[in-house]
Amino acid sequence: MSAPAATGPVSARLSFLDRYLALWILAAMAAGLGLGRLVPGLGDALARVTVAGVSLPIALGLLVMMYPVLAKVRYDRLDTVTRDRPLLIWSLVLNWVIGPALMFALAWIFLPDLPEYRTGLIIVGLARCIAMVIIWNDLACGHREAAAVLVAVNSVFQVLAFGLLGWFYLDLLPGLLGLATTGLDISVREIARAVLIFLGVPLAAGYLTRRLGEKARGREWYETELIPRIGPFALYGLLFTIVVLFALQGEAITSKPLDVARIALPLLVYFAVMWAGSMAIGRAAGLDYPKATTLAFTAAGNNFELAIAVAIATFGATSGQALAGVVGPLIEVPVLIGLVYVALRVRRYFPTTPVTTPVAMTPAEGSTRV
């Protein structure tokens, strides 16, 4: 995907599906909440079969969502990203130092009297984004290859650091500060399995699709014929995932509006601070717009699928921790969609650099941004 033209309103340059993406997402949320309330036992039925602790329908939706975007990545350009040390270093600092610490602080500031929700938010802060960030980055004309690399780095650190950081922020640090502690017992093997399934499978499929497709028919056919056909399925997978996700806890969300509002407030602050701060850091570090945008979205997004799986596996599907995990995407999805438009607006404040994003879309591609 290439950056849109420099002139004209953003909405006018988007396809019909892209232009009203926020509306489709909100409709999917409403549909999921409605189904969860209206169909008795639906949540239990959806949660009965799981993959790596995640409902099978959600797992399928995630795989469908991830595959088309990863099939767009120009893997032959990844070496240009790994050589960008400022981007990699700042990504690690923002994701694994600043992000978890900020969520820990906000959880205690806003929810000092609600330990279950507070613990759920801290778990969300520890689960760094490895999925939907690729969607937001793509929509905001970020650097697709940089996003793939940073997602891979986050995945490795997820496996290595999640359990250790969980112990630090839920047990050690609260104890040192004289605060209440909450145990978190999660297997590193389970986290590794979840990462392998929800990132490794679509990543391998996307890589093989590009490699074999270009070898058989050439790059021009791949970019102008195949990608437009499979691209829209990422949006379909995203919407399906959201419907199922909110159907799982529709009753809990709609029956506790004040609790949801209290959980939502620190999340709103978190997403705004992390995204704006990361964007400013990228600009100060001399990154161009595509890479600064990728840095901002990979730092602000969270892997709510993993957070929900950990909360359910550790505390139960009806726990406050699980509810806090579900509220995460309820807030994250519309906020980050809004930040896509903010990113496109502030693009003019970044230095002009040669285009490094993949081949520009043709009119025939339609809604292949997602």
Side-chain angles (χ1 to χ4, degrees), residues 81-82 84-102 125-130 146-161 165 169 270 274 278 281-282 287 291 294-301:
V81 179
T82 56
D84 193 335
R85 291 198 172 187
L87 177 64
L88 288 176
I89 291 173
W90 275 116
S91 179
L92 291 175
V93 171
L94 287 165
N95 273 288
W96 299 103
V97 179
I98 297 177
L102 176 61
L126 298 178
R128 310 312 301 167
C129 193
I130 63 170
V149 170
L150 297 185
V151 161
V153 170
N154 273 345
S155 301
V156 173
F157 269 77
Q158 198 99 269
V159 176
L160 300 176
L165 287 175
Y169 282 106
Y270 173 84
M274 283 298 295
S278 301
I281 287 173
L287 300 179
K291 289 185 178 180
T294 297
L295 178 67
F297 280 101
T298 52

Side-chain angles (χ1 to χ4, degrees), residues 62-206:
L62 291 172
L63 293 175
V64 173
M65 178 188 75
M66 294 279 292
Y67 164 67
V69 179
L70 291 170
K72 295 179 184 179
V73 173
R74 286 284 299 274
Y75 294 94
D76 56 330
R77 294 180 177 175
L78 294 184
D79 60 332
T80 63
V81 179
T82 56
R83 292 197 299 266
D84 193 335
R85 291 198 172 187
L87 177 64
L88 288 176
I89 291 173
W90 275 116
S91 179
L92 291 175
V93 171
L94 287 165
N95 273 288
W96 299 103
V97 179
I98 297 177
L102 176 61
M103 188 69 89
F104 173 85
L106 292 173
W108 274 98
I109 291 171
F110 287 96
L111 301 170
D113 58 329
L114 297 172
E116 289 190 359
Y117 299 153
R118 185 178 64 238
T119 299
L121 282 185
I122 293 173
I123 293 173
V124 170
L126 298 178
R128 310 312 301 167
C129 193
I130 63 170
M132 285 191 179
V133 67
I134 296 178
I135 302 290
W136 317 137
N137 177 77
D138 217 37
L139 285 169
C141 300
H143 196 293
R144 193 175 290 155
E145 286 70 36
V149 170
L150 297 185
V151 161
V153 170
N154 273 345
S155 301
V156 173
F157 269 77
Q158 198 99 269
V159 176
L160 300 176
F162 190 97
L164 178 61
L165 287 175
W167 166 76
F168 178 78
Y169 282 106
L170 295 174
D171 283 323
L172 180 61
L173 185 57
L176 294 175
L177 298 176
L179 305 171
T181 60
T182 303
L184 177 64
D185 182 20
I186 185 68
S187 168
V188 172
R189 181 177 298 178
E190 291 177 7
I191 298 174
R193 183 177 58 182
V195 171
L196 177 63
I197 292 172
F198 299 122
L199 179 67
V201 171
L203 181 63

